[in-house]
Structures are given as structure tokens and as C-alpha cells.
């Protein structure tokens, strides 16, 4: 090798060195392009998966609203309550169709996604029969059915979120799922209270459920405070410490709400009913 290099002129050595350097730079360039392409593909997959997770959350949200309105209708049986249920059913069904549309391509490329979603779609297939029972005012299992559907949707979303590769997106999704669970527990609590107000009947099981939901809401509050940071934490604390939030907490406190519900049932003339409660709760 030394003899071979000794025979080369300075110009030839310079040219050889330049060629080697160019080859090295070219290899680095190819590797960089390949890495960027892989990052782009991963990001596109993350974006597609986030769209799916968002669709799952919308399924849970719309069926939570249907659950609450259904509880009110089963309790009161009024035409106005039924019209609200019928309108919300369209939104709930639209959220299922949107989920199927978003998941169409993803399920072709992932058996895991397909198998998970089939659990939700199989449960949703029983919804038509349940709605028929609701229309006949004979659906004691309606609340449990919708709660299970929502649990499946949120569980699938949490399960599939592990496939998100981007660290920032993954962290934000963990917070989003805590908020989704928080909203679901609030919806369950509201649904039970609505049903009680409409039926004018407070069972021991309902009392236990309300106590459980309030306990889980308090726990989720702690989880969110522990996981939120910076401006998000300040915003959350500002909301839960606001005068409106303290007023709602005072009303929906387990012992307070149970005493209040008992008073409403015992004293029908008390001017707090499902409509006024919903107004306060929504605010």
C-alpha cells in the first residue's frame, strides 16, 4: 500500500482523497435522507392513529350524551325527552360511521387495530335492540349498556395509544385520556342523577353508584394535578378552584346530593327538577 501511494503524485493523491471524501459525504447524505423519510413515515402513522383515537373519543362522548338523555326519557316518558333522545341517536350513529371511515385504511394494515375495534363494533351491534326497548320504556340495562360501550371505546384508545412513537404526542395523549375518563365519570354521575330526578326514585344501588363516581372524580382530579405542567396546570387549577366549580362541587358532593335527591323525591313541590339541575350542571 505504501509503495502504491508512493508512486502517486500529489495531484493524484489529492484527487483520490477528494473521491473518498465525496463517497463518505454521499453515504452520510443517503443515511440522513433515509432517516428523514423514516421520521416522516412515522409521523404520518402517528397522525393517522391520533385521528383514530379522536374518533374513538367522539364515540364515547356522543354515546355518553345519549346515555344521559335516555335516562331522562326512561324516567319521565315525555315526548320532549324522547325527541332529544332521537336527535342524539343520529349524532351517536354518525360518530360510529366516522370511526369506521377513519379506521378503514388502518385496519387493513394492522390486525391489532382491527381486532380491538371489532370488540366495540360487536357491542354497538346490540344497540338497535336496546333502543327498541328504550322506546317501549322497558330498558333497565340501558345505562350499563352505554357505560360499557364508552368504556370499550376509551380502553381501545388507551391501548392503541402505545403505538404512538413521537414522545411529545405520547405524553399529551396520556393527559387527554385522563381528561376523557374524567368527562366519562362526570357523565355517569349526571346520568344517574338525571334518572333519579325523572323517576323520583332513589335506590340504594344508585346511591352507591353516585358515591363511586364522585370518588373516582376526586382521584382523577389528583392524577391530573400530578401530571399537568406549566400553563396546562395553571388553567386546570383555575377552573377547579373557580367559584362556579366550588358551587358545583358543593351540590354534587356525595352526602349533599343524596340528601338533596331524597328531599326532591319526598317534597315534589321543591322547585328543583331535572331541567333546572341540567342547567346548573351544564354551566
Amino acid at each position: 500500500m505504501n509503495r502504491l501511494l508512493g508512486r502517486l503524485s500529489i495531484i493524484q493523491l489529492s484527487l483520490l482523497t477528494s473521491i473518498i471524501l465525496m463517497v463518505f459525504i454521499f453515504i452520510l447524505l443517503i443515511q440522513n435522507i433515509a432517516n428523514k423519510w423514516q421520521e416522516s413515515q412515522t409521523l404520518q402513522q402517528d397522525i393517522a392513529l391520533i385521528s383514530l383515537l379522536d374518533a374513538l373519543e367522539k364515540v364515547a362522548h356522543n354515546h355518553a350524551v345519549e346515555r344521559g338523555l335516555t335516562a331522562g326519557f326512561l324516567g319521565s316518558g315525555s315526548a320532549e325527552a324522547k325527541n332529544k333522545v332521537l336527535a342524539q341517536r343520529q349524532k351517536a350513529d354518525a360518530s360510529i360511521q366516522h370511526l369506521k371511515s377513519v379506521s378503514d385504511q388502518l385496519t387493513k394494515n394492522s390486525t391489532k387495530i382491527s381486532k380491538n375495534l371489532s370488540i366495540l363494533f360487536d357491542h354497538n351491534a346490540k344497540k338497535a335492540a336496546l333502543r327498541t326497548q328504550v322506546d317501549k320504556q322497558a330498558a333497565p340495562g340501558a345505562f350499563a349498556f352505554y357505560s360499557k360501550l364508552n368504556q370499550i371505546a376509551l380502553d381501545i384508545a388507551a391501548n392503541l395509544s402505545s403505538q404512538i412513537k413521537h414522545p411529545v404526542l405520547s405524553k399529551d395523549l396520556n393527559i387527554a385520556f385522563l381528561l376523557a375518563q374524567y368527562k366519562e365519570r362526570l357523565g355517569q354521575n349526571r346520568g344517574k342523577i338525571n334518572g333519579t330526578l325523572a323517576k323520583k326514585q332513589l335506590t340504594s344501588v344508585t346511591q352507591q353508584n353516585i358515591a363511586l363516581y364522585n370518588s373516582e372524580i376526586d382521584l382523577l382530579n389528583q392524577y391530573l394535578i400530578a401530571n399537568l405542567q406549566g400553563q396546562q396546570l395553571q388553567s386546570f387549577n383555575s377552573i377547579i378552584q373557580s367559584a362556579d366549580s366550588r358551587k358545583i362541587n358543593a351540590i354534587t358532593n356525595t352526602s349533599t346530593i343524596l340528601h338533596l335527591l331524597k328531599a326532591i323525591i319526598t317534597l315534589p313541590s321543591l322547585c328543583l327538577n331535572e331541567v333546572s339541575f341540567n342547567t346548573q350542571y351544564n354551566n
Side-chain angles (χ1 to χ4, degrees):
M1 177 64 70
N2 289 335
R3 288 181 180 180
L4 179 61
L5 293 175
R7 293 176 183 175
L8 298 175
S9 66
I10 294 177
I11 296 177
Q12 289 173 325
L13 284 173
S14 299
L15 182 60
L16 179 61
T17 302
S18 298
I19 293 173
I20 293 173
L21 183 60
M22 289 178 65
V23 171
F24 179 69
I25 293 174
F26 182 74
I27 292 174
L28 289 179
L29 182 61
I30 293 297
Q31 288 180 339
N32 185 59
I33 292 174
N35 290 337
K36 293 296 183 183
W37 182 85
Q38 183 62 42
E39 289 177 7
S40 176
Q41 290 296 107
T42 300
L43 185 58
Q44 289 180 18
Q45 292 173 4
D46 284 352
I47 292 173
L49 192 54
I50 287 174
S51 296
L52 176 65
L53 302 183
D54 179 66
L56 283 164
E57 194 282 329
K58 284 183 170 60
V59 166
H61 168 74
N62 280 287
H63 286 84
V65 176
E66 183 177 344
R67 174 184 59 202
L69 294 174
T70 298
F73 169 64
L74 289 174
S76 68
S78 69
E80 181 183 2
K82 184 173 183 179
N83 288 335
K84 291 180 179 179
V85 171
L86 294 176
Q88 183 56 36
R89 284 177 181 178
Q90 295 180 6
K91 296 179 181 179
D93 290 343
S95 70
I96 290 290
Q97 292 304 315
H98 175 64
L99 174 61
K100 290 180 178 179
S101 175
V102 170
S103 65
D104 185 52
Q105 186 60 43
L106 288 170
T107 53
K108 293 178 181 177
N109 301 326
S110 173
T111 56
K112 180 178 180 179
I113 293 176
S114 177
K115 289 179 180 179
N116 274 273
L117 289 179
S118 66
I119 300 173
L120 176 63
F121 294 147
D122 287 347
H123 185 72
N124 183 71
K126 305 171 186 176
K127 188 169 62 182
L130 176 79
R131 285 174 172 175
T132 300
Q133 295 175 356
V134 170
D135 293 341
K136 296 178 180 178
Q137 290 275 290
F143 190 90
F145 175 88
Y146 287 112
S147 293
K148 183 176 180 179
L149 189 149
N150 294 346
Q151 179 184 349
I152 293 171
L154 295 177
D155 285 350
I156 291 174
N159 184 24
L160 295 180
S161 67
S162 63
Q163 297 185 32
I164 299 292
K165 302 295 190 299
H166 197 285
V168 176
L169 293 177
S170 179
K171 180 182 178 181
D172 288 343
L173 278 173
N174 290 334
I175 300 297
F177 288 132
L178 284 175
L179 289 169
Q181 292 177 47
Y182 190 81
K183 186 168 69 172
E184 170 64 7
R185 293 298 173 271
L186 288 172
Q188 288 178 312
N189 208 18
R190 173 182 171 178
K192 283 295 182 181
I193 295 171
N194 270 350
T196 300
L197 290 171
K199 291 181 179 179
K200 298 292 189 293
Q201 179 183 6
L202 180 62
T203 66
S204 59
V205 174
T206 298
Q207 294 182 53
Q208 293 170 11
N209 287 335
I210 291 173
L212 175 62
Y213 299 148
N214 279 335
S215 175
E216 291 181 347
I217 288 168
D218 290 340
L219 186 59
L220 286 166
N221 260 328
Q222 296 178 49
Y223 286 156
L224 284 164
I225 291 172
N227 286 277
L228 289 170
Q229 296 178 345
Q231 185 59 44
Q232 288 182 327
L233 179 59
Q234 292 179 16
S235 298
F236 183 75
N237 281 330
S238 176
I239 292 171
I240 64 173
Q241 293 172 8
S242 68
D244 287 340
S245 291
R246 288 197 297 269
K247 183 178 180 181
I248 291 172
N249 288 336
I251 294 173
T252 57
N253 172 273
T254 299
S255 59
T256 304
I257 193 63
L258 292 180
H259 284 303
L260 186 59
L261 289 173
K262 289 175 182 178
I264 295 169
I265 294 168
T266 306
L267 302 172
S269 59
L270 196 65
C271 57
L272 175 63
N273 54 25
E274 180 189 353
V275 175
S276 59
F277 170 77
N278 277 332
T279 301
Q280 292 294 325
Y281 202 99
N282 286 332
N283 291 335

